[in-house]
Amino acid sequence: MDLSTAMWTAAVLGAAAVYWFMWVMGSAEVKGKRAMDLTTGFIGRDQVQEKHRQVWSFFVRSKEDIAAASDEDKMPSIIETYYNLSFHFSPSLPGRSHREATRIHEERAADLITARPGQWIVDVGCGVGGPMRTIAARSGADIVSITISEYQVARAREYNCKVGLDGRCEVVCGNFLEMPFLKASFDGAYSIEATCCAPRLEDVYREVFRVLKPGALYVSYEWVTTALYRPDDPRHVETIRGAETGGALATLRAQHELAAIAHQVGFEVVEERDLALPPAEPWWTRLKISRFAYWRNHLLVTILAALRIAPKGIVDVHEMLCQTAAHMRYGGEIGIFTPCT
């Protein structure tokens, strides 16, 4: 066998090995369990490591220092980065795939605000617009969405065009603490795991209240600590702090605080419940990953980074996300954290 043939053979075998290692073995490991998606294409290759450093240095500080920094407008830039590392959860439903459960979870928001054709609905913190498209299709309403990330605006508009909803779904770039909409502009509003990123929840709730017509309904899915959380338990504190860091949250609110904050800005609370409780199956089981899968992925991203196929810093990002998943999973197992209130 000549050198050229040997090189091509090695390349083909190598590609086949990577395919088997990542997709055949990987799909068997995570089938039905995947609950987090990571996108790094929006960050320049030379920026991944620096973005990770900025985020990590921000969240290793005390909560008092983080709160002070938020007032100086440092928090939105951190959140913009993390909005593109998109975390999204939904309750697990018996006999339903994760995709189906997610669709039902999003459609529930449309039903709760009684969205219907002819109405204008605002999506507060839309990401790349998955819920927006689901709710538009479900309700027939027109959706105006806002996100702080220019990358997500572009992606959401692209996806809207692909599914033929660009005529009923618009996306604008802006801060949901200062939305560029007139008072009493919308017939309904929703936010799905977005307002938990606000430094002060009352600020975003007050802004949503401003843009809603009198009597309009608003539903929000929030990340919160439950009544089982004990701030005097070091393991509880470590777990919640890990979830906060991975989610770019200055602090997780307690479940019992939400209604009081909503009342404070003028809302009447119609219903409040944790959608992750039975009959929903444990949402956190999707975050389980074996040690084999962890080291397989760690080895792959390390090799890709060394070969400069993946950007510098990607190994740190992978490690951070694995730690975050572990904290969230444990928080779900012992019942001190829920992303579905």
Side-chain angles (χ1 to χ4, degrees), residues 76-143:
S77 63
I78 299 294
I79 291 174
E80 182 176 357
T81 296
Y82 267 71
Y83 266 13
N84 294 292
L85 306 181
S86 177
F87 293 85
H88 185 64
F89 297 95
S90 63
S92 296
L93 300 178
R96 301 279 189 165
S97 68
H98 175 44
R99 182 183 296 274
E100 290 177 313
T102 299
R103 175 182 55 77
I104 292 169
H105 188 52
E106 294 167 353
E107 289 180 344
R108 182 184 285 113
D111 296 341
L112 288 172
I113 62 174
T114 64
R116 57 186 182 273
Q119 289 189 328
W120 285 91
I121 307 296
V122 60
D123 180 334
V124 183
C126 65
V128 296
M132 167 181 59
R133 288 179 288 277
T134 299
I135 289 172
R138 169 78 168 184
S139 66
D142 294 300
I143 314 291

Side-chain angles (χ1 to χ4, degrees), residues 201-202 205 222-227 251-264 269 272 341:
L201 191 58
E202 52 267 43
Y205 278 8
E222 298 282 357
W223 288 15
V224 294
T225 59
T226 72
T251 184
L252 275 171
R253 283 92 186 181
Q255 197 169 32
H256 70 270
E257 296 176 336
L258 300 183
I261 294 173
H263 279 300
Q264 177 184 329
V269 177
E272 183 180 17
T341 291

Side-chain angles (χ1 to χ4, degrees), residues 294-316:
Y294 166 78
W295 285 111
R296 177 198 65 220
N297 297 342
H298 181 79
L299 177 62
L300 180 68
V301 296
T302 300
I303 292 173
L304 293 177
L307 295 175
R308 298 187 178 181
I309 298 173
K312 288 179 64 177
I314 195 67
V315 176
D316 293 330

Side-chain angles (χ1 to χ4, degrees), residues 178-191:
E178 298 176 346
M179 291 190 281
F181 308 131
L182 297 176
K183 180 179 179 180
S185 301
F186 294 98
D187 301 291
Y190 65 88
S191 51

